[in-house]
Amino acid sequence: MEKKVKILKRPEVSELAGEKVMIDFETGKYFMLKGSANEIWEMLKDGISVKEIVAGLMEIYDVEEEVCKKSVQDFMATLKENGFIEFE
């Protein structure tokens, strides 16, 4: 959980009907950012750790820590699979 997140590419993020849409013009893929994914994306910067992201979300949401960790790990896995981030 102490891994630092490194941004590899920043896709275009736009508002659509009150939600954020992340568009990767290189691949043509798009992703709806809902719920905590919005906050995670806003927190992402080079050098932030997964642990710090979880701590930040725990301040915003009334959620059990293990549930929060799982959600963050799942979203980070999706970002990594699509080439947006890597872990240092």
Side-chain angles (χ1 to χ4, degrees), residues 23-80:
I23 305 165
D24 183 356
F25 288 106
E26 291 178 19
T27 64
K29 292 182 180 180
Y30 68 92
F31 308 88
M32 295 294 291
L33 299 180
K34 298 179 181 179
S36 62
N38 283 309
E39 282 82 15
I40 294 170
W41 186 252
E42 293 298 322
M43 287 182 208
L44 282 180
K45 59 183 181 241
D46 288 334
I48 193 168
S49 71
V50 173
K51 183 177 181 177
E52 291 168 318
I53 293 170
V54 170
L57 291 175
M58 295 291 295
E59 291 179 13
I60 298 169
Y61 294 99
D62 182 22
V63 63
E64 292 181 23
E65 187 172 359
E66 289 306 312
V67 172
C68 188
K69 285 180 186 177
K70 174 79 169 101
S71 294
V72 171
Q73 289 170 344
D74 290 349
F75 186 58
M76 293 288 108
T78 299
L79 292 176
K80 187 174 189 300

